[in-house]
Amino acid sequence: MATNIGIMDSAYFVGRNEILNWINNRLQLNLSRIEDAASGAVQCQMMDVTHQGVVPMHKVNFDAKTEYDKIQNYKVLQDVFNKLKIQKHIEVSRLVKGRPLDNLEFLQWLKRYCDSINGGIMNENYNPVERRVKVGKDRSLKCSLKKSKSLQTNTMNNSGSGNTLGPNRTSVAKPSRSSGGAGGANSSAEIQALSKEITDLKFAVDRLEKERDFYFAKLRDVEIICQTPEVENIPVSVAVKKILYANDAKESALDEAQDYLNQTMNAVEAQETMNVVEAEAEAEAESEIEVDSQN
């Protein structure tokens, strides 16, 4: 089961078009951009397809537009992961921003996981449209009931309040006190400071993303070299691939790779020593035979 896959796994080389086709065909949608799936609803329904009965679809909001609503969808998804003991951390703060690369990486992982369950075969009886429509109707009904109760409560409060105006009473609006120009100036300065901070953070994120892509490309080049048939089985290439394909992000694979190299080199040295000993023994035996023949 592909709960943990390394960054160099083939899953992360699946293109955006293939991911979009996979989503549209399986869920009968018409997404044209990866960021259209940033709300988390698509991911929840993909898990619903893969593990029917596990995802509480009534909690999934397919009309999520705000970050708050999107975060609620990802909370549902994380709860499903926890229930299924899937060790996958969801970078919610990055995904809800709708960044194509972050969402593509997560969907690449999700496709690999779904394909690992029952060979990625979808239940023929599963109707994705019906599931979404049913959830949408339930959500609309709940919203209508909440609004009705809220309206009823407000009406009762107003009718029972002693501040209700009689037919001959008029409401006099009290003039509001202006906070003055000082408050406005402070607000403007605060907004400018926050805007500058946001701009700086965006530059920092862009710089980090470029740095990540730069080193990722280098790792990919190393992987290609290590996969060359002429060198893929030599100890150094095997050790490097152990590091590249390590699944556990919390532990370094360097120790394992070094142990493998040490064992391999020790075996090679032992074999070379044995070859030298055998060669010396053969030479000594030949020398003795030659002396005996002379005698």
mmCIF file of all heavy atoms in Angstrom, residues 40-42 44-45 55-63 72-73 76 135-136 139:
data_model
loop_
_atom_site.group_PDB
_atom_site.id
_atom_site.type_symbol
_atom_site.label_atom_id
_atom_site.label_comp_id
_atom_site.label_asym_id
_atom_site.label_seq_id
_atom_site.Cartn_x
_atom_site.Cartn_y
_atom_site.Cartn_z
ATOM 1 N N GLY A 40 -10.495 20.465 -1.524
ATOM 2 C CA GLY A 40 -10.425 19.231 -0.747
ATOM 3 C C GLY A 40 -11.615 18.314 -0.945
ATOM 4 O O GLY A 40 -11.587 17.151 -0.532
ATOM 5 N N ALA A 41 -12.682 18.801 -1.586
ATOM 6 C CA ALA A 41 -13.870 17.977 -1.794
ATOM 7 C C ALA A 41 -13.584 16.814 -2.740
ATOM 8 O O ALA A 41 -14.054 15.690 -2.529
ATOM 9 C CB ALA A 41 -15.011 18.839 -2.338
ATOM 10 N N VAL A 42 -12.811 17.083 -3.801
ATOM 11 C CA VAL A 42 -12.458 16.033 -4.763
ATOM 12 C C VAL A 42 -11.678 14.919 -4.070
ATOM 13 O O VAL A 42 -11.945 13.724 -4.267
ATOM 14 C CB VAL A 42 -11.627 16.621 -5.922
ATOM 15 C CG1 VAL A 42 -10.956 15.515 -6.727
ATOM 16 C CG2 VAL A 42 -12.508 17.450 -6.834
ATOM 17 N N CYS A 44 -11.749 14.108 -0.932
ATOM 18 C CA CYS A 44 -12.659 13.360 -0.046
ATOM 19 C C CYS A 44 -13.472 12.344 -0.844
ATOM 20 O O CYS A 44 -13.636 11.197 -0.415
ATOM 21 C CB CYS A 44 -13.595 14.331 0.674
ATOM 22 S SG CYS A 44 -12.805 15.301 1.984
ATOM 23 N N GLN A 45 -13.980 12.759 -2.014
ATOM 24 C CA GLN A 45 -14.790 11.817 -2.781
ATOM 25 C C GLN A 45 -13.935 10.715 -3.403
ATOM 26 O O GLN A 45 -14.402 9.594 -3.572
ATOM 27 C CB GLN A 45 -15.592 12.539 -3.867
ATOM 28 C CG GLN A 45 -16.621 11.600 -4.511
ATOM 29 C CD GLN A 45 -17.653 12.313 -5.341
ATOM 30 O OE1 GLN A 45 -17.477 13.466 -5.736
ATOM 31 N NE2 GLN A 45 -18.738 11.620 -5.646
ATOM 32 N N VAL A 55 -15.914 7.558 4.474
ATOM 33 C CA VAL A 55 -15.923 9.022 4.407
ATOM 34 C C VAL A 55 -17.318 9.547 4.757
ATOM 35 O O VAL A 55 -18.300 9.159 4.114
ATOM 36 C CB VAL A 55 -15.531 9.515 3.001
ATOM 37 C CG1 VAL A 55 -15.502 11.032 2.962
ATOM 38 C CG2 VAL A 55 -14.187 8.945 2.596
ATOM 39 N N PRO A 56 -17.437 10.436 5.741
ATOM 40 C CA PRO A 56 -18.738 11.059 6.052
ATOM 41 C C PRO A 56 -19.055 12.141 5.016
ATOM 42 O O PRO A 56 -18.806 13.325 5.241
ATOM 43 C CB PRO A 56 -18.522 11.639 7.456
ATOM 44 C CG PRO A 56 -17.060 11.909 7.531
ATOM 45 C CD PRO A 56 -16.383 10.864 6.686
ATOM 46 N N MET A 57 -19.602 11.728 3.904
ATOM 47 C CA MET A 57 -19.800 12.648 2.785
ATOM 48 C C MET A 57 -20.738 13.801 3.120
ATOM 49 O O MET A 57 -20.693 14.845 2.472
ATOM 50 C CB MET A 57 -20.333 11.873 1.578
ATOM 51 C CG MET A 57 -19.323 10.928 0.942
ATOM 52 S SD MET A 57 -17.935 11.813 0.202
ATOM 53 C CE MET A 57 -18.741 12.616 -1.182
ATOM 54 N N HIS A 58 -21.594 13.632 4.136
ATOM 55 C CA HIS A 58 -22.509 14.715 4.496
ATOM 56 C C HIS A 58 -21.759 15.915 5.076
ATOM 57 O O HIS A 58 -22.316 17.014 5.160
ATOM 58 C CB HIS A 58 -23.544 14.217 5.506
ATOM 59 C CG HIS A 58 -22.958 13.774 6.808
ATOM 60 N ND1 HIS A 58 -22.342 12.526 6.954
ATOM 61 C CD2 HIS A 58 -22.862 14.390 8.006
ATOM 62 C CE1 HIS A 58 -21.912 12.416 8.204
ATOM 63 N NE2 HIS A 58 -22.207 13.518 8.857
ATOM 64 N N LYS A 59 -20.486 15.707 5.449
ATOM 65 C CA LYS A 59 -19.689 16.803 5.986
ATOM 66 C C LYS A 59 -18.855 17.500 4.912
ATOM 67 O O LYS A 59 -18.208 18.505 5.193
ATOM 68 C CB LYS A 59 -18.754 16.284 7.082
ATOM 69 C CG LYS A 59 -19.462 15.756 8.315
ATOM 70 C CD LYS A 59 -18.450 15.340 9.366
ATOM 71 C CE LYS A 59 -19.121 14.838 10.630
ATOM 72 N NZ LYS A 59 -18.131 14.436 11.666
ATOM 73 N N VAL A 60 -18.847 16.968 3.706
ATOM 74 C CA VAL A 60 -18.005 17.511 2.631
ATOM 75 C C VAL A 60 -18.759 18.618 1.910
ATOM 76 O O VAL A 60 -19.900 18.433 1.481
ATOM 77 C CB VAL A 60 -17.596 16.415 1.634
ATOM 78 C CG1 VAL A 60 -16.721 16.999 0.529
ATOM 79 C CG2 VAL A 60 -16.874 15.291 2.351
ATOM 80 N N ASN A 61 -18.122 19.757 1.787
ATOM 81 C CA ASN A 61 -18.725 20.919 1.136
ATOM 82 C C ASN A 61 -18.138 21.089 -0.271
ATOM 83 O O ASN A 61 -17.008 21.535 -0.428
ATOM 84 C CB ASN A 61 -18.474 22.182 1.975
ATOM 85 C CG ASN A 61 -19.171 23.401 1.404
ATOM 86 O OD1 ASN A 61 -19.842 23.340 0.382
ATOM 87 N ND2 ASN A 61 -19.029 24.527 2.079
ATOM 88 N N PHE A 62 -18.948 20.744 -1.295
ATOM 89 C CA PHE A 62 -18.471 20.845 -2.668
ATOM 90 C C PHE A 62 -18.554 22.275 -3.201
ATOM 91 O O PHE A 62 -18.043 22.562 -4.283
ATOM 92 C CB PHE A 62 -19.287 19.921 -3.583
ATOM 93 C CG PHE A 62 -18.931 18.471 -3.437
ATOM 94 C CD1 PHE A 62 -19.558 17.684 -2.491
ATOM 95 C CD2 PHE A 62 -17.944 17.893 -4.217
ATOM 96 C CE1 PHE A 62 -19.227 16.350 -2.330
ATOM 97 C CE2 PHE A 62 -17.600 16.568 -4.072
ATOM 98 C CZ PHE A 62 -18.245 15.794 -3.125
ATOM 99 N N ASP A 63 -19.190 23.158 -2.430
ATOM 100 C CA ASP A 63 -19.286 24.558 -2.841
ATOM 101 C C ASP A 63 -18.332 25.442 -2.041
ATOM 102 O O ASP A 63 -18.515 26.657 -1.980
ATOM 103 C CB ASP A 63 -20.729 25.061 -2.649
ATOM 104 C CG ASP A 63 -21.710 24.308 -3.537
ATOM 105 O OD1 ASP A 63 -21.339 23.998 -4.684
ATOM 106 O OD2 ASP A 63 -22.837 24.028 -3.087
ATOM 107 N N GLN A 72 -12.264 22.901 6.461
ATOM 108 C CA GLN A 72 -13.184 21.907 7.032
ATOM 109 C C GLN A 72 -13.182 20.621 6.202
ATOM 110 O O GLN A 72 -13.253 19.517 6.744
ATOM 111 C CB GLN A 72 -14.608 22.477 7.102
ATOM 112 C CG GLN A 72 -14.735 23.752 7.926
ATOM 113 C CD GLN A 72 -14.070 23.669 9.278
ATOM 114 O OE1 GLN A 72 -14.352 22.757 10.063
ATOM 115 N NE2 GLN A 72 -13.185 24.613 9.559
ATOM 116 N N ASN A 73 -13.095 20.759 4.878
ATOM 117 C CA ASN A 73 -13.023 19.569 4.023
ATOM 118 C C ASN A 73 -11.751 18.770 4.293
ATOM 119 O O ASN A 73 -11.773 17.533 4.359
ATOM 120 C CB ASN A 73 -13.068 19.982 2.548
ATOM 121 C CG ASN A 73 -14.451 20.384 2.087
ATOM 122 O OD1 ASN A 73 -15.457 20.046 2.716
ATOM 123 N ND2 ASN A 73 -14.529 21.111 0.989
ATOM 124 N N VAL A 76 -11.990 16.731 7.382
ATOM 125 C CA VAL A 76 -12.690 15.463 7.115
ATOM 126 C C VAL A 76 -11.725 14.457 6.509
ATOM 127 O O VAL A 76 -11.684 13.280 6.909
ATOM 128 C CB VAL A 76 -13.890 15.701 6.168
ATOM 129 C CG1 VAL A 76 -14.512 14.370 5.750
ATOM 130 C CG2 VAL A 76 -14.935 16.583 6.827
ATOM 131 N N VAL A 135 -25.568 14.877 -1.153
ATOM 132 C CA VAL A 135 -24.887 15.683 -0.140
ATOM 133 C C VAL A 135 -25.295 17.144 -0.259
ATOM 134 O O VAL A 135 -25.550 17.817 0.738
ATOM 135 C CB VAL A 135 -23.355 15.546 -0.287
ATOM 136 C CG1 VAL A 135 -22.648 16.552 0.607
ATOM 137 C CG2 VAL A 135 -22.925 14.136 0.081
ATOM 138 N N GLY A 136 -25.398 17.640 -1.492
ATOM 139 C CA GLY A 136 -25.790 19.031 -1.706
ATOM 140 C C GLY A 136 -27.196 19.316 -1.212
ATOM 141 O O GLY A 136 -27.466 20.351 -0.605
ATOM 142 N N ARG A 139 -27.218 19.384 2.608
ATOM 143 C CA ARG A 139 -26.599 20.615 3.104
ATOM 144 C C ARG A 139 -27.547 21.795 2.934
ATOM 145 O O ARG A 139 -27.673 22.643 3.824
ATOM 146 C CB ARG A 139 -25.286 20.876 2.365
ATOM 147 C CG ARG A 139 -24.516 22.074 2.889
ATOM 148 C CD ARG A 139 -23.176 22.184 2.192
ATOM 149 N NE ARG A 139 -22.319 21.070 2.575
ATOM 150 C CZ ARG A 139 -21.577 21.063 3.662
ATOM 151 N NH1 ARG A 139 -21.594 22.110 4.485
ATOM 152 N NH2 ARG A 139 -20.811 20.040 3.935
#
